[in-house]
Amino acid sequence: MEKEELIPTQQIGRQTDAVEEKIFSTVIEAKTAYQQAANRLLDVNKWQRNSTITASSFALFDSDGSPIERLVQQGDYIRIDIPGPGTSAGNGYDWVCIENMEQFSDEESGIEFTLLVARPSKNPSECDDKIAHFFTNQATSTFFVFRRASVLSVEVHGRNELPNTQDQNLLDKVRNLVVNGGSAIGMSFTQWHLLISGILNGAG
């Protein structure tokens, strides 16, 4: 199994990839580190603390829009607070939904992984179905912890990233275009590197 098979196909818009890798002396050490990193990936409410991210924050919500204190599950929502004004559709935040979650382990191949696929979504606390994110819901972010033998990697792969300007009010449309065309995207990429480094190395 190759990692590329786990990532949605790039078809339109921008593609981003953030990868951190670590090689351990033994497979046993790598297995232990994998379990620790996988737990940090699934504990969304602690992403900011575990990764030393200072500019953005993340919080986990259920399908009714209520905050929850547990490890992430498929169908949950993540509220993202990035610097600057947020969307009115998201009550000042950007939102994604975890549309797929998978864990795999195979001793024979020496491969195991934990994977989350997030897609821009509506605000779960609102009846409005408008996408509350600076990307359209064609975009995905694939987060995963992947071990092959003694090599462990933590990765975030963005695919089909397009600015969200359809069915948005004027302020949200302008905001989403600015975010997509300016420093916020570069800052976001930096934040992902901080996140995966913290997940891999246990910052916090």
Side-chain angles (χ1 to χ4, degrees):
M1 176 181 296
E2 298 301 322
K3 288 185 285 188
E4 290 73 18
E5 299 174 33
L6 305 172
I7 304 168
T9 304
Q10 172 65 22
Q11 296 177 321
I12 191 170
R14 183 165 33 205
Q15 169 181 327
T16 56
D17 300 278
V19 180
E20 296 278 349
E21 186 177 275
K22 198 169 189 178
I23 302 173
F24 292 84
S25 300
T26 67
V27 171
I28 292 176
E29 289 178 338
K31 284 182 175 182
T32 299
Y34 166 80
Q35 290 297 333
Q36 294 169 343
N39 287 336
R40 285 191 285 269
L41 174 64
L42 298 176
D43 199 353
V44 172
N45 288 319
K46 292 182 181 176
W47 277 6
Q48 185 178 21
R49 186 174 75 188
N50 285 336
S51 63
T52 69
I53 291 175
T54 56
S56 302
S57 62
F58 308 86
L60 193 63
F61 287 74
D62 64 18
S63 59
D64 295 322
S66 300
I68 44 180
E69 293 292 336
R70 57 162 169 75
L71 299 183
V72 65
Q73 297 177 6
Q74 188 167 320
D76 287 344
Y77 290 77
I78 300 176
R79 187 188 73 186
I80 306 169
D81 186 6
I82 67 172
T87 64
S88 60
N91 290 333
Y93 301 98
D94 293 277
W95 293 84
V96 296
C97 181
I98 302 301
E99 70 170 21
N100 186 37
M101 180 174 172
E102 187 175 351
Q103 291 185 292
F104 173 87
S105 180
D106 179 65
E107 285 291 335
E108 184 175 346
S109 65
I111 291 175
E112 56 186 339
F113 64 81
T114 297
L115 170 147
L116 303 173
V117 179
R119 188 179 295 273
S121 70
K122 68 174 187 175
N123 177 352
S125 64
E126 299 291 336
C127 296
D128 196 330
D129 286 332
K130 283 185 179 179
I131 300 302
H133 195 279
F134 51 83
F135 290 143
T136 72
N137 65 350
Q138 291 176 276
T140 58
S141 294
T142 301
F143 303 81
F144 65 82
V145 178
F146 188 98
R147 181 187 68 83
R148 188 194 300 271
S150 61
V151 181
L152 179 65
S153 65
V154 183
E155 312 182 15
V156 182
H157 299 279
R159 294 293 182 268
N160 306 307
E161 297 175 339
L162 288 170
N164 181 19
T165 58
Q166 298 296 318
D167 300 320
Q168 302 290 315
N169 65 39
L170 180 59
L171 288 178
D172 280 357
K173 185 180 295 187
V174 170
R175 180 261 185 185
N176 292 342
L177 283 170
V178 169
V179 168
N180 275 270
S183 61
I185 289 296
M187 182 197 62
S188 176
F189 190 65
T190 300
Q191 301 300 300
W192 288 148
H193 272 288
L194 289 172
L195 174 63
I196 62 178
S197 179
I199 289 173
L200 180 62
N201 298 301

